[in-house]
Amino acid sequence: MAPGLIERYRDRLPFGPGDPVVSLNEGSTPLVPAPRLSERVGAEVLLKIEGANPTGSFKDRGMTCAVSDAVRNGAEAVLCASTGNTAASLAAYAARAGLRGAVIVPEGKIATGKLAQALMHGARVIALQGNFDVALRLVRELCAKQPIALVNSVNPFRIEGQKTAAFEVLDELGPTHPLDALCIPVGNAGNITAYWKGFQEMGAAPRMFGFQAAGAAPLVHGAPVEDPETVASAIRIGNPARWEEAMAAMTGSRGGVNAVTDEQILDAYRFLAAEEGVFCEPAIAASVAGLLAHGAAGARRIVCVLTGHGLKDPQTALVQAGSVVPCEPTLDAVERAVLG
Ligand SMILES: *Cc1c(COP(=O)(O)O)cnc(C)c1O
């Protein structure tokens, strides 16, 4: 059994031997070759399957560190603004730690699976009549006033935890298989910041390619987006908190930031499920859609980060997928239905 990531990487994380650790054995996620995608791109592409984390997204890497630090500091409650996955992760780790958890989400804008998780783990789920950017501003103001730990990716412990994904990728590839490029969806820009920090700490510098949805692409336009809109709800963010760091990662690594349309995102989403057997969230397909549309500057070995599990958002899947085949309970009918 692989240990949680604080235990695995304690020498590179800000936790001492006696510190409390709140863990669900997150991390150590699979790095899976993608032969069909590799063929289309003309390079070796691997998928980092972050949906294999305990609550189904990479947010668990940051949350184990942020919640462990909150416990260390004697916090009684943890709070975040969320497009869904941070809420699910906070709720699970707060339950594990015996802390009160509250999450503020944009009303009607979060995927069903994520909502179910947050509620099941017993967090207080607050539906804000406003978007993610407004929610984040309000939770920052509230946490400055009240003794509540803020666990959005503005919290440095989130970045510390999430940088371990870069360690895992490099450890797994080894020195004989250098990584040329990383493709990653960008929302609030914490994750790209974390990967870049992790790579730099290991002395690596793959090109960092960030992808945003066309209707929520502030980094591409160079200006905040007032009303971000996209099918990719996890990255529906108009004013990323880690704007400068994300730009520094992409410029410093000679990578770049590009936008992909919802249609390109959904094409990549269906392609990954049908051709590679990997079911991810729509938002995540942005990294693959971006790679297909924009390339990766001639990189030979590329990792696409698939940040969350497809089961998080069954509604989008059912709209995008084929329909079921009705059938009478006779052998003939079943035979016809199966052979279709
Ligand atoms: C949070 C999230 C993102 C965006 O990550 P940022 O750190 O906000 O850029 C992308 N995909 C999924 C599935 C997420 O949950």
Side-chain angles (χ1 to χ4, degrees):
M1 183 181 63
L5 59 86
I6 294 182
E7 211 176 308
R8 182 169 176 195
Y9 291 113
R10 194 188 290 269
D11 56 333
R12 293 178 250 173
L13 291 171
F15 291 94
D19 285 337
V21 171
V22 183
S23 173
L24 291 163
N25 287 4
E26 57 294 311
S28 305
T29 56
L31 188 63
V32 177
R36 306 254 159 64
L37 182 58
S38 299
E39 203 179 297
R40 273 181 71 177
V41 173
E44 182 187 348
V45 185
L46 300 134
L47 308 173
K48 181 68 171 158
I49 313 283
E50 288 292 278
N53 276 297
T55 77
S57 87
F58 75 87
K59 299 296 197 303
D60 295 343
R61 292 181 185 273
M63 208 54 75
T64 181
C65 289
V67 172
S68 296
D69 178 60
V71 170
R72 179 167 62 185
N73 296 333
E76 285 171 14
V78 287
L79 176 67
C80 73
S82 176
T83 58
N85 279 329
T86 307
S89 187
L90 174 152
Y93 283 81
R96 187 83 179 172
L99 293 176
R100 285 198 299 147
V103 303
I104 303 196
V105 299
E107 185 176 47
K109 295 283 191 185
I110 85 165
T112 320
K114 305 174 189 181
L115 185 60
Q117 287 178 288
L119 291 167
M120 276 302 289
H121 290 304
R124 177 171 295 217
V125 178
I126 298 148
L128 188 78
Q129 288 146 19
N131 63 29
F132 172 84
D133 302 287
V134 178
L136 182 59
R137 181 167 53 74
L138 292 171
V139 296
R140 290 177 91 157
E141 286 174 22
L142 181 60
C143 289
K145 235 177 104 191
Q146 294 284 343
I148 304 172
L150 178 62
V151 297
N152 276 104
S153 59
V154 294
N155 179 324
F157 287 89
R158 284 277 309 276
I159 304 300
E160 288 299 311
Q162 287 168 211
K163 77 182 180 187
T164 60
F167 298 164
E168 288 177 14
V169 168
L170 295 180
D171 285 348
E172 194 153 338
L173 291 176
T176 51
H177 293 79
L179 177 66
D180 302 315
L182 186 92
C183 294
I184 183 169
V186 176
N188 213 21
N191 211 25
I192 190 168
T193 300
Y195 269 90
W196 183 233
K197 184 166 198 281
F199 285 135
Q200 285 186 300
E201 288 181 11
M202 298 274 284
R207 290 182 188 235
M208 305 289 288
F209 291 99
F211 296 103
Q212 300 201 291
L219 299 181
V220 179
H221 303 309
V225 174
E226 193 73 37
D227 288 309
E229 203 37 78
T230 167
V231 66
S233 61
I235 52 171
R236 194 186 280 140
I237 292 176
N239 192 9
R242 298 225 178 232
W243 187 305
E244 271 81 34
E245 286 127 302
M247 291 313 295
M250 292 184 278
T251 329
S253 67
R254 297 180 307 126
V257 62
N258 275 295
V260 280
T261 64
D262 278 5
E263 200 183 321
Q264 290 172 318
I265 290 175
L266 292 172
D267 278 349
Y269 171 62
R270 288 187 304 256
F271 172 79
L272 284 170
E275 306 283 331
E276 299 286 12
V278 175
F279 187 23
C280 66
E281 269 189 61
I284 290 103
S287 61
V288 171
L291 175 60
L292 287 169
H294 300 281
R300 292 189 2 226
R301 186 169 299 106
I302 303 160
V303 165
C304 286
V305 184
L306 301 191
T307 42
H309 202 289
L311 288 172
K312 294 270 189 174
D313 188 354
Q315 253 107 1
T316 303
L318 290 173
V319 171
Q320 292 301 318
S323 48
V324 297
V325 181
C327 184
E328 283 165 29
T330 66
L331 181 58
D332 266 4
V334 172
E335 193 168 14
R336 271 197 311 275
V338 170
L339 300 179

